[in-house]
Amino acid sequence: MEKASSLLSSIFGGGTPIEPSATVSSIFVYPIKSCRGLSVPQACVVSTGFRWDRQWLVVNSKGRAYTQRVEPNLALVEVELPPEAFTENWEPTAESFLVLKAPGMDVLSIPLAKTGEIVDEVSVWEWSGSALDEGAKASEWFSNYLGKPSRLVRFNTASETRVVDPNFARGYKTMFSDEYPFLLISQESLNALNKLLQEPITINRFRPNILVEGCEPFSEDLWTVLKINKMTFNGVKLCARCKVPTIDQENGISNPEITETLKKFRSDQVLRPAVKQQGKVYFGQNLVCKESLSSYGEGRVVKVGDPVLVLQKISSAAVAAA
């Protein structure tokens, strides 16, 4: 608490300090879209979100993205990066690899420092462009695992940009994530949901980047400006959920109870009755980071244990952007 109060005093030049609203309890990075994530003690903020997050994508023979929505077994693909990859200023060497494991498959190692051939017409949702092909071994590995022609590609940061919806966050960008650079959820929100389910679930169903604790359930719905380790994050849009939270990340099996339960208390009909209904359910808050708009600087790291300082919030989810 003392650390957080000092931080607020330094931001505002003294005055009455603001107590933290929550604490960062876990940080997750998902190097390959729809494959398993990594729980890490810290992560560096770069122009597209956390470094390494959704930098790779599995695509079909036409370059279209595979996700857990249609290929739930992607949930069983384990991903490893060198631990030092999450420290500031680290750069891969010839001995640095992205390592993949999956049931019934040999271990696959992808060199991090090697640049693949450029392939065109790669697409994910609204975006299409070029990407870097990770080669024949990776293609064979995913083709055998999924039972259909597949390739692994890396986002081509040298020539491509994927912008965030300017209606919600103008000027920001991401790589292969669904929409936004960061997703924040509170442990208390998950606890509230678990009280209504026959079998409790873990947070990996919802694939957040930042998990916080110490607040009231669904407090994050209301947060529009927050500070984490001197960086300013903006809550720009409630996260509308798809089929993925129904998929058990340990076995790839879907249970529709999760969505059906969320509909009872997290649908737009319940949360936003005065607006046009879209049949969506919401869980978590999409974020952008102000510092990601400027050139790289020191200290842009979010760590487990960091206080979350809410500087601005709205009155209710009924008036939240969604």
Side-chain angles (χ1 to χ4, degrees):
M1 292 294 184
E2 185 175 343
K3 175 184 175 183
S5 298
S6 299
L7 176 57
L8 262 291
S9 295
S10 69
I11 294 168
F12 295 111
T16 304
I18 300 174
E19 294 295 332
S21 297
T23 301
V24 176
S25 56
S26 295
I27 297 168
F28 302 98
V29 175
Y30 309 86
I32 304 178
K33 184 178 180 65
S34 276
C35 295
R36 284 191 183 174
L38 298 171
S39 178
V40 295
Q42 66 176 45
C44 299
V45 172
V46 295
S47 62
T48 55
F50 282 143
R51 189 182 186 189
W52 308 113
D53 193 53
R54 276 85 168 195
Q55 191 164 342
W56 285 268
L57 179 71
V58 184
V59 298
N60 64 17
S61 58
K62 296 181 179 180
R64 185 67 181 169
Y66 281 136
T67 74
Q68 286 188 34
R69 295 166 177 82
V70 295
E71 296 295 340
N73 283 336
L74 286 173
L76 309 185
V77 177
E78 298 179 37
V79 181
E80 297 177 5
L81 282 170
E84 59 270 23
F86 298 96
T87 59
E88 285 191 271
N89 302 319
W90 181 82
E91 293 299 330
T93 69
E95 303 301 318
S96 305
F97 298 93
L98 174 74
V99 179
L100 309 184
K101 302 175 182 178
M105 302 295 295
D106 293 333
V107 175
L108 175 67
S109 296
I110 306 292
L112 289 176
K114 182 180 179 181
T115 301
E117 293 184 4
I118 294 176
V119 290
D120 295 319
E121 299 183 354
V122 168
S123 60
V124 55
W125 307 128
E126 84 302 335
W127 178 89
S128 63
S130 70
L132 304 175
D133 196 310
E134 292 293 5
K137 287 185 178 180
S139 176
E140 181 182 11
W141 195 91
F142 274 103
S143 297
N144 289 338
Y145 179 66
L146 296 176
K148 58 186 70 174
S150 307
R151 288 181 294 166
L152 180 67
V153 299
R154 190 188 310 199
F155 196 88
N156 187 3
T157 55
S159 64
E160 300 294 340
T161 299
R162 183 166 177 243
V163 298
V164 169
D165 187 340
N167 293 315
F168 295 95
R170 184 174 298 275
Y172 291 90
K173 59 184 180 179
T174 186
M175 286 196 275
F176 290 133
S177 63
D178 269 4
E179 293 181 288
Y180 297 90
F182 305 94
L183 174 63
L184 181 147
I185 298 175
S186 72
Q187 180 64 46
E188 286 75 13
S189 298
L190 179 65
N191 295 345
L193 172 61
N194 277 334
K195 290 179 181 178
L196 303 176
L197 297 175
Q198 294 184 4
E199 295 289 337
I201 60 175
T202 54
I203 195 63
N204 62 4
R205 298 284 191 108
F206 294 97
R207 302 175 71 80
N209 296 110
I210 302 171
L211 181 69
V212 303
E213 62 181 9
C215 58
E216 293 298 314
F218 305 107
S219 294
E220 63 269 28
D221 290 354
L222 313 181
W223 298 346
T224 55
V225 182
L226 53 147
K227 286 276 186 179
I228 305 176
N229 195 17
K230 297 187 179 181
M231 289 177 289
T232 300
F233 290 83
N234 295 102
V236 295
K237 185 177 182 291
L238 298 182
C239 184
R241 308 312 309 216
C242 62
K243 176 186 176 181
V244 171
T246 72
I247 299 170
D248 189 325
Q249 300 295 295
E250 300 303 317
N251 58 29
I253 298 174
S254 179
N255 178 2
E257 181 200 1
I258 287 84
T259 298
E260 293 304 314
T261 301
L262 284 171
K263 284 180 179 179
K264 296 176 183 177
F265 75 120
R266 297 294 300 172
S267 68
D268 47 8
Q269 184 175 9
V270 174
L271 294 179
R272 300 161 52 77
V275 301
K276 182 179 179 181
Q277 300 298 293
Q278 303 178 71
K280 295 181 178 180
V281 296
Y282 301 98
F283 200 89
Q285 175 78 264
N286 290 304
L287 306 179
V288 294
C289 179
K290 181 180 178 181
E291 283 69 21
S292 70
L293 293 176
S294 58
S295 58
Y296 183 77
E298 296 290 332
R300 298 183 182 182
V301 179
V302 177
K303 299 179 180 180
V304 171
D306 279 345
V308 179
L309 309 168
V310 177
L311 307 187
Q312 294 180 27
K313 61 182 180 179
I314 55 177
S315 58
S316 73
V319 295

